[in-house]
Amino acid sequence: MEWEQHGLALLPLGTLLSAVRLPQRLVLAVTGGTGPSGAVDTALDEILEGGPVICDPDGQRYYALVPASVPETWHEAADEWRSLDVDCLGRGTYLGVPRVDLVAYAPGGRTSSYWAVPMQSAAMLCAPLSVARLIAAGQHLLAEQAGEEESA
């Protein structure tokens, strides 16, 4: 009913799946994009090998859906990543999940959140190692950009 009324449904995390919240600036640094777009979505699909990703353009965040155990197993890395505004969301957290047919950015719609990389099946999630590599690459590129800005 939430999907019909709002285009989003709040689903609990930590039992069937969890999510890694990624700031848009980190995703754009890795994909070379300038904002939510089909090109960024295609790059994420390749980088995360088809693992599902939700884009929240209003919040300027992406959510990579991962196995439910990730927040527990990544607690040390997650503490380090918080300075990048990356967070592992699990038990006790709800995620706004768009309807399955919302697969492209549509400004001005009922909800701007959409599936940047649609879920292929309930069993297929992002590989944690692929998400970690994306974060590491983004961290490196953002540090390079900050260094270039300081020297300019």
Side-chain angles (χ1 to χ4, degrees):
M1 187 163 61
E2 287 179 75
W3 277 313
E4 287 301 316
Q5 292 178 348
H6 309 289
L8 285 176
L10 289 178
L11 300 180
L13 298 177
T15 53
L16 298 176
L17 57 90
S18 289
V20 178
R21 183 181 64 210
L22 305 164
Q24 181 175 285
R25 63 186 172 74
L26 184 138
V27 170
L28 297 180
V30 174
T31 62
T34 57
S37 68
V40 171
D41 299 345
T42 299
L44 279 173
D45 189 8
E46 290 174 17
I47 292 166
L48 297 176
E49 302 170 16
V53 179
I54 296 170
C55 177
D56 172 12
D58 292 341
Q60 298 184 346
R61 295 180 173 147
Y62 287 79
Y63 297 86
L65 303 185
V66 295
S69 62
V70 167
E72 293 173 18
T73 57
W74 278 15
H75 60 87
E76 287 180 30
D79 288 342
E80 178 184 326
W81 292 334
R82 281 201 180 84
S83 65
L84 297 169
D85 196 27
V86 170
D87 202 0
C88 295
L89 308 173
R91 288 193 186 276
T93 307
Y94 287 78
L95 180 64
V97 176
R99 288 190 331 246
V100 295
D101 62 328
L102 297 175
V103 295
Y105 181 49
R110 285 192 303 180
T111 176
S112 62
S113 291
Y114 70 97
W115 290 96
V117 181
M119 183 177 268
Q120 305 287 327
S121 75
M124 185 170 169
L125 299 170
C126 293
L129 184 56
S130 296
V131 176
R133 287 179 177 150
L134 171 72
I135 295 166
Q139 184 176 25
H140 176 76
L141 291 166
L142 289 172
E144 276 186 356
Q145 289 174 2
E148 288 172 7
E149 290 172 7
E150 285 179 15
S151 64

